[in-house]
């Protein structure tokens, strides 16, 4: 029994019903989501949920982001073919694949070694050669291979460390979800040629924080 037509229909519906309606209108991104097979990056037991508007568990208490948030992240970074990209939080490797499809080279850092290994196998199986996977704690900074044209943080941060902005090249873009539950802000930070950076709040959302993220100062009475 060939289920491929049903898979392609579900993929198409994800793009048209979830993603396009969430202000993702860049045709490059929409085409990319049809081309890169999200189901191949989902744990086998959740493969049937690959195109559902939800976060999918991937083990170690972590989850894949919802498809529409992944799509908005990629769209807002406006990636170019020669861009040098830093991804903090490799997870399943799916976002890494999207970034590598549009950019020049992706350095992706993951704190869970098993994720790094599994994502490397998936990315290799899909022929991605412009990716460097590293295991480490990049929740507060990652200077190795910097500066970057684009940085994306796949987990939220209560406070965004200045170190990430300092790792951007002139014209560089940083996408981060900043704040604490129940409401966080998705922000796009763009560094100008003179070193000054501007920050735009794109929308409100809520997602799990990066491990060991910088915490805000708390008043003690």
């Amino acid at each position: 029994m060939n289920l491929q037509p049903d898979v392609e229909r579900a993929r198409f519906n994800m793009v048209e019903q979830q993603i396009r309606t969430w202000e993702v209108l860049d045709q490059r991104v929409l085409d990319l989501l049809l081309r890169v097979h999200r189901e191949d990056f989902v744990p086998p037991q959740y493969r049937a949920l690959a195109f559902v508007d939800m976060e999918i568990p991937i083990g170690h208490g972590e989850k894949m982001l919802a498809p529409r948030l992944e799509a908005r992240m990629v769209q807002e970074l406006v990636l170019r073919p020669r861009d040098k990209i830093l991804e903090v939080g490799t997870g399943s490797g799916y976002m890494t694949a999207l970034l590598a499809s549009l950019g020049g080279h992706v350095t992706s850092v993951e704190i869970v070694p098993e994720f790094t290994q599994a994502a490397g196998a998936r990315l290799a199986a899909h022929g991605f050669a412009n990716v460097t996977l590293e295991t480490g704690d990049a929740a507060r900074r990652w200077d190795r291979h910097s500066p970057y044209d684009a940085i994306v943080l796949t987990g939220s941060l209560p406070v965004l460390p200045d170190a990430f902005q300092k790792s951007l090249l002139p014209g560089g873009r940083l996408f981060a979800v900043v704040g604490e539950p129940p409401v966080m802000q998705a922000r796009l930070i763009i560094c100008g040629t003179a070193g000054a950076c501007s920050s735009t709040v794109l929308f409100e959302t809520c997602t799990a924080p990066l491990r060991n993220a910088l915490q805000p100062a708390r008043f003690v009475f």
Side-chain angles (χ1 to χ4, degrees):
M1 183 177 178
N2 183 10
L3 298 180
Q4 190 62 27
D6 290 337
V7 170
E8 295 307 322
R9 188 177 303 112
R11 192 191 324 281
F12 178 82
N13 289 341
M14 175 190 73
V15 171
E16 293 299 317
Q17 297 172 11
Q18 297 175 41
I19 292 169
R20 188 189 291 274
T21 58
W22 215 52
E23 298 183 29
V24 179
L25 302 175
D26 185 332
Q27 195 59 48
R28 292 189 316 150
V29 176
L30 296 174
D31 290 344
L32 179 62
L33 297 170
L34 293 173
R35 190 168 71 246
V36 178
H37 290 183
R38 193 173 196 267
E39 69 274 18
D40 293 344
F41 292 85
V42 173
Q45 65 270 34
Y46 296 114
R47 192 179 176 95
L49 302 176
F51 310 113
V52 177
D53 183 20
M54 63 175 289
E55 295 184 341
I56 296 176
I58 57 175
H60 297 275
E62 304 295 336
K63 296 179 180 180
M64 287 180 71
L65 296 171
R68 59 179 179 164
L69 182 52
E70 294 167 335
R72 279 295 294 271
M73 286 178 165
V74 175
Q75 174 178 267
E76 300 299 340
L77 289 170
V78 192
L79 298 173
R80 301 163 299 201
R82 294 186 180 180
D83 276 351
K84 185 178 172 185
I85 304 163
L86 171 65
E87 177 190 28
V88 177
T90 310
S92 72
Y94 176 67
M95 175 65 77
T96 318
L98 298 180
L99 299 171
S101 296
L102 296 179
H105 189 273
V106 179
T107 296
S108 186
V109 187
E110 173 55 57
I111 198 169
V112 180
E114 291 85 353
F115 286 169
T116 304
Q117 182 177 4
R122 295 186 188 108
L123 291 163
H126 282 264
F128 288 100
N130 59 331
V131 172
T132 298
L133 301 184
E134 300 188 346
T135 301
D137 184 355
R140 302 191 182 198
R141 66 188 302 158
W142 192 261
D143 293 332
R144 197 177 301 170
H145 313 303
S146 66
Y148 297 94
D149 296 291
I151 299 175
V152 59
L153 311 177
T154 64
S156 63
L157 295 171
V159 177
L160 180 63
D162 292 338
F164 287 115
Q165 297 181 34
K166 294 176 181 177
S167 294
L168 287 173
L169 288 161
R173 292 86 63 207
L174 165 63
F175 187 104
V177 176
V178 183
E180 298 180 279
V183 177
M184 305 173 184
Q185 295 178 335
R187 298 182 189 174
L188 179 67
I189 295 162
I190 300 177
C191 280
T193 54
C197 295
S198 64
S199 178
T200 302
V201 176
L202 300 172
F203 52 88
E204 292 184 345
T205 187
C206 190
T207 191
L210 293 171
R211 298 187 189 185
N212 302 328
L214 181 67
Q215 298 296 314
R218 309 288 185 183
F219 290 105
V220 178
F221 295 98

